[in-house]
Amino acid sequence: MKIGICYTFVSAENKMLLDSAKERGVELERVIDGEAVLELSGNGHGPGAGEIDALVQRSVSYSRGLYLSYYYELAGTKVVNSYNAARICGDKMLCSLELAKAGIPTPKTYVSFVPESARSAASKLGFPLVMKPVVGSWARLVHRINDADALDAELESREEMGNHLQKIYYLQEHVNKPGRDIRALVVGEEVIAAVYRNSTQKSGWITNTSRGGLASKCEVTPELSELCLKAAGIVGEGIYGVDLMESEHGLLVHEINHAVEFRNSFQAMGVDVAGKMIDYLIKTAKN
Amino acid sequence: MEMAEAECPECAGKVGLEENTEIGWILSCKDCGARLEVNSANPPKLTVAPVVEEDWGE
């Protein structure tokens, strides 16, 4: 049995995964995305591809991760999370659509492709609303739009950006949450832990811990567990961070993260996330 | 335990490397705060880590 890890850098999470594997007597094969030279015209088997039974995908780059996952899956490696799961989770429009289709409560959301249509979408939602890039993370360019002037400024800025994806306008209702949201960690068929991500003076209305939000323990209730497993189930079994908001009408799932970070929250609270991930990877490799 | 030192490419300060430091680790320079990537463990060599790109994240 051979298991591997694909990464860009040896981040704190990746160090923990490498160490946890070692503690279990397993040396992870390393696939460093920046060093990849993928021959597409040959048999499709690059270094290690086809020889690695299971690979945990930890590329910090969404694009590199997608391509490498596809490449390794074609060579017969089980990639956690799969190409298809990452493709859906990493694109907010696809993820919102899949959540809604599965009947999972999720915030009201519209997508438009030109500013005028985005204004029409905004009029359906009302202000304040939230705009997010369809691809991106760490709450970058996630903005609360309080009025039409702010919307115009946002749209004008986005139109000037070079990346075509910034011109896909994803507008979401602003959920009146209690100064926090929930990040639940799903490994296989279990919700192993959850945290509240509390907004702070530093993070403003945003709760993301990479922006200064503070994590505190959240009890995994049967309701939370059931909803998270249902949400994760739409993209297939794997390792996910499910984000939820506590609305006046109950829990809403707004994101599923496919390459979840855990150094500042779960691991710090004593949950052995890395160990559980490695155990899951070993189990996946054996199946 | 710090076993080796490398030079910060930004400020030429000394950056301590732990015994088990590996290529690909990300460090910070205590003097100037630069985010650095370990490019070679022996001899120790650091480069400025790439800036965050638009599709980076979790």
Side-chain angles (χ1 to χ4, degrees), chain A residues 14-199:
Chain A
N14 295 339
K15 271 184 212 173
M16 291 175 206
L17 289 166
L18 288 160
D19 289 345
S20 291
K22 211 172 271 180
E23 284 165 16
R24 287 157 175 77
V26 177
E27 195 69 40
L28 293 181
E29 295 285 325
R30 299 175 191 222
V31 178
I32 302 166
D33 62 22
E35 294 180 1
V37 181
L38 307 176
E39 185 188 353
L40 309 185
S41 50
N43 60 10
H45 289 195
E51 297 163 16
I52 298 174
D53 299 296
L55 179 74
V56 62
Q57 177 55 265
R58 300 287 310 171
S59 281
V60 75
S61 157
Y62 178 54
S63 315
R64 292 183 198 179
L66 278 183
Y67 283 124
L68 281 162
S69 294
Y70 198 84
Y71 186 85
Y72 275 82
E73 281 181 5
L74 276 192
T77 298
K78 290 173 194 162
V79 181
V80 178
N81 293 308
S82 71
Y83 166 83
N84 194 50
R87 186 178 62 87
I88 292 168
C89 294
D91 184 315
K92 290 186 177 62
M93 174 176 173
L94 302 186
C95 193
S96 289
L97 269 177
E98 293 285 350
L99 287 167
K101 187 184 170 197
I104 293 165
T106 191
K108 195 171 187 180
T109 306
Y110 291 90
V111 163
S112 292
F113 306 114
V114 298
E116 199 45 48
S117 302
R119 289 187 190 94
S120 298
S123 70
K124 292 178 189 297
L125 287 169
F127 296 106
L129 56 86
V130 176
M131 285 187 71
K132 305 175 180 180
V134 283
V135 171
S137 193
W138 299 327
R140 283 174 311 209
L141 293 177
V142 172
H143 293 158
R144 182 163 62 187
I145 307 294
N146 288 323
D147 55 32
D149 285 347
L151 177 65
D152 285 344
E154 174 78 15
L155 294 170
E156 187 186 351
S157 302
R158 293 275 209 100
E159 283 292 299
E160 293 300 320
M161 292 182 185
N163 186 336
H164 63 284
L165 288 173
Q166 298 297 357
K167 298 177 182 74
I168 311 295
Y169 298 115
Y170 177 100
L171 298 89
Q172 193 163 71
E173 70 170 301
H174 179 264
V175 175
N176 192 19
K177 58 187 192 293
R180 67 186 188 191
D181 68 2
I182 297 171
R183 162 69 57 88
L185 196 54
V186 175
V187 178
E189 296 174 332
E190 187 190 359
V191 180
I192 65 165
V195 291
Y196 290 115
R197 302 187 305 176
N198 304 281
S199 56

Side-chain angles (χ1 to χ4, degrees), chain A residues 9-10 15 30 60-63 137 140 163 166 183 259 261, chain B residues 22-26 35 37 50 52-58:
Chain A
F9 305 115
V10 187
K15 271 184 212 173
R30 299 175 191 222
V60 75
S61 157
Y62 178 54
S63 315
S137 193
R140 283 174 311 209
N163 186 336
Q166 298 297 357
R183 162 69 57 88
E261 291 168 347
Chain B
E22 297 179 21
I23 293 170
W25 280 29
I26 300 294
R35 196 165 165 270
E37 182 179 358
V52 173
E53 294 181 22
E54 278 186 68
D55 77 334
W56 283 20
E58 61 173 345

Side-chain angles (χ1 to χ4, degrees), chain A residues 238-267:
Chain A
I239 299 168
Y240 303 102
V242 179
D243 292 346
L244 310 96
M245 289 186 276
E246 301 156 282
S247 79
E248 291 157 358
H249 310 292
L251 291 172
L252 302 174
V253 177
H254 60 284
E255 277 184 30
I256 308 172
N257 297 276
H258 62 281
V260 67
E261 291 168 347
F262 48 84
R263 81 186 81 162
N264 294 327
S265 46
F266 299 99
Q267 202 83 19

